[in-house]
Amino acid sequence: MSEITDELLTRFLRYINMPSQSKAGTGTVPSTSSQWNMARLLEAELELLDLEDLHLSDHCVLTGYLPASLPAGFSGKVPKLGFCCHLDTVDVNLNPAVHPHLVKAYPGGDVVLNAEKHLIMQAADHPELAAHMGEDIVFTDGTSVLGADNKAALANVMTLLHTLATHPEIHHGDIYIAFVPDEEVGLQGSKSLELDRFPVDFAYTIDSCEVGEVVYETFNAGSATITIQGVSAHPMNAKGRLVNPTLLAVDFASFFDRKETPECTEGKEGYIWIKTIHSNASQAVIQLAIRDHSKTGYEAKKDAIRQNVQRLQQQEPRATISCSLEDIYGNIADAMTPGNRKAVDFLYEALDELGIAPRTIAMRGGTDGSFLSTRGIFTPNYFTGGLNFHSPYECLPVPSLEKSYNVSLKIVEKVAKEAGV
């Protein structure tokens, strides 16, 4: 095992052994206290690397930068490069504590995750493992996610910073970091990032799956809340008086095309997802998610929701119906311009030079970069190397993590070279 491989693995195992799940619906950023522990650990490590302007905000956003290391007499301008990673791991009702185990030189076949609980990862159900025979792979014990999403990225960037800080012969411009909480619960951490502390020309997130994956197209995402105030009445004299909000909610749901839902769409097909309906005798509240890669399609879906609200109101004028729409994040590609397109070019050039075949994906989701891009920081994404995110079958082939790190280092070198260093 090389020195870099060992450092990457050591950092990764250290980070995943510190629980930092986020939790939806708390109304606070960060949503959990455990994310503070993760941020403070990283802050202490960054202090040892002599990063400047280190700052841990009231919302648990950790920022700072590694100053440029350039040849004496160099008078050119090297773009300021940023890396954004999230501190939290997803809460999918599994154990928040991670108990990883390393399978060396994976021989193929089934993997016993937890002998005591009889938890086995069946090779027949996970054909992705076959491509990693002979490699060291980190697995869970079957009771939690692994946390490669996004602690593989944290290990990647922290190892990169250590490499640059200890090898002054590797020339680079200013390297900024933003480690943010609560990505898994609506990108709340990146929305709390003070942009003047992340003054980069472009940035990258490292928050995707298999080796070679590149994402610079994501959904446009929004949410809608429909509130239906009915009229309650006792059944003995309800005729002509009762306005049942539950039935009106069902009517509203029926207005939408059943083929434009998550379970019936793929690729770049958008959808409207009726996520929840909560109702009682007097009120119903409907929560919807709106997704589309096309900005035009996204706006059309919002218009469809408004029109269906009007239709329901006309159907039952005695009810009081309101609609609240919120934009959550945008498509990274919509922020790409001739001036910042180079960020994507650097990524593909790095993959080419490293002999890694690109796997370009229009993500049916979003990253912190989806929000940062709407704020003027173009932020494409590339792979961590992890597999089966958000699952007890999540695993991380160690060579894949090293390939992700190699891409990070190559991008840094290419940005400096392009500037004439």
Side-chain angles (χ1 to χ4, degrees):
M1 185 177 290
S2 71
E3 182 179 340
I4 287 295
T5 306
D6 183 64
E7 180 177 353
L8 285 164
L9 180 58
T10 299
R11 287 186 184 275
F12 176 66
L13 294 175
R14 180 163 68 247
Y15 298 158
I16 63 175
N17 275 306
M18 179 168 284
S20 61
Q21 282 187 351
S22 51
K23 187 174 181 62
T26 67
T28 63
V29 180
S31 60
T32 56
S33 60
S34 61
Q35 293 179 79
W36 282 109
N37 299 330
M38 190 73 234
R40 290 183 178 118
L41 169 65
L42 293 167
E43 181 183 31
E45 293 185 3
L46 290 169
E47 287 175 349
L48 295 176
L49 296 176
D50 294 327
L51 263 71
E52 296 190 6
D53 199 23
L54 268 180
H55 181 260
L56 183 57
S57 78
D58 292 341
H59 291 299
C60 199
V61 176
L62 180 59
T63 51
Y65 77 99
L66 183 70
S69 175
L70 299 169
F74 178 78
S75 59
K77 181 181 178 181
V78 181
K80 295 178 180 179
L81 175 61
F83 290 95
C84 179
C85 311
H86 62 89
L87 301 165
D88 60 320
T89 57
V90 71
D91 181 358
V92 287
N93 297 312
L94 295 172
N95 189 350
V98 177
H99 301 288
H101 71 278
L102 177 66
V103 174
K104 289 185 172 291
Y106 167 61
D110 298 345
V111 179
V112 177
L113 301 179
N114 192 315
E116 180 181 352
K117 296 180 181 293
H118 306 290
L119 300 175
I120 299 173
M121 187 170 179
Q122 304 281 351
D125 296 332
H126 295 279
E128 67 278 0
L129 289 177
H132 301 282
M133 287 181 59
E135 297 179 359
D136 293 352
I137 306 176
V138 185
F139 292 92
T140 75
D141 71 345
T143 68
S144 72
V145 301
L146 181 64
D149 178 11
N150 196 223
K151 291 177 180 178
L154 292 171
N156 178 330
V157 173
M158 292 297 294
T159 302
L160 171 70
L161 293 172
H162 181 259
T163 297
L164 297 176
T166 55
H167 290 271
E169 73 277 9
I170 302 176
H171 298 303
H172 60 86
D174 290 341
I175 309 293
Y176 283 81
I177 57 96
F179 296 157
V180 301
D182 289 346
E183 187 268 354
E184 300 287 4
V185 290
L187 314 184
Q188 297 303 318
S190 56
K191 292 177 181 179
S192 302
L193 171 62
E194 300 170 45
L195 295 187
D196 60 347
R197 294 189 177 278
F198 198 59
V200 299
D201 293 290
F202 52 87
Y204 297 93
T205 54
I206 310 169
D207 194 7
S208 193
C209 302
E210 295 186 49
V211 169
E213 287 194 6
V214 174
V215 174
Y216 60 91
E217 291 183 86
T218 58
F219 273 142
N220 293 285
S223 65
T225 302
I226 314 302
T227 304
I228 304 170
Q229 192 69 42
V231 179
S232 62
H234 195 284
M236 72 174 65
N237 61 352
K239 186 173 181 178
R241 298 180 183 180
L242 176 66
V243 178
N244 189 330
T246 302
L247 291 181
L248 290 177
V250 172
D251 289 343
F252 180 77
S254 72
F255 293 161
F256 294 94
D257 186 344
R258 287 293 298 272
K259 294 182 179 180
E260 291 187 1
T261 58
E263 64 269 29
C264 296
T265 52
E266 61 183 353
K268 290 190 177 182
E269 297 170 336
Y271 59 77
I272 294 174
W273 180 12
I274 300 176
K275 297 183 70 175
T276 63
I277 299 177
H278 296 288
S279 66
N280 54 39
S282 60
Q283 187 184 78
V285 178
I286 308 167
Q287 298 283 349
L288 303 95
I290 313 156
R291 301 288 188 272
D292 206 297
H293 282 90
S294 161
K295 186 69 170 177
T296 300
Y298 173 67
E299 294 296 336
K301 286 176 173 57
K302 291 198 293 183
D303 286 341
I305 291 171
R306 295 187 188 99
Q307 291 167 13
N308 285 340
V309 168
Q310 293 174 0
R311 177 180 172 184
L312 188 67
Q313 186 68 80
Q314 292 168 359
Q315 175 179 306
E316 182 47 87
R318 292 177 299 163
T320 301
I321 306 171
S322 64
C323 173
S324 173
L325 290 161
E326 179 186 3
D327 296 323
I328 300 174
Y329 58 80
N331 187 343
I332 294 173
D334 290 339
M336 188 164 60
T337 67
N340 61 31
R341 164 84 202 199
K342 196 63 184 174
V344 173
D345 295 338
F346 285 136
L347 181 47
Y348 281 110
E349 290 167 9
L351 292 172
D352 182 62
E353 292 185 18
L354 292 168
I356 300 172
R359 297 160 50 91
T360 306
I361 293 175
M363 180 182 283
R364 290 179 63 79
T367 66
D368 282 315
S370 302
F371 177 74
L372 293 176
S373 294
T374 67
R375 299 287 301 276
I377 302 175
F378 182 54
T379 309
N381 181 84
Y382 58 95
F383 67 95
T384 61
L387 305 171
N388 305 319
F389 288 161
H390 295 200
S391 160
Y393 303 111
E394 183 183 6
C395 58
L396 179 66
V398 177
S400 299
L401 173 61
E402 184 167 4
K403 289 178 181 178
S404 178
Y405 160 84
N406 289 338
V407 171
S408 301
L409 180 59
K410 181 65 71 173
I411 287 172
V412 169
E413 293 173 341
K414 291 192 70 62
V415 169
K417 184 177 180 180
E418 177 80 8
V421 176

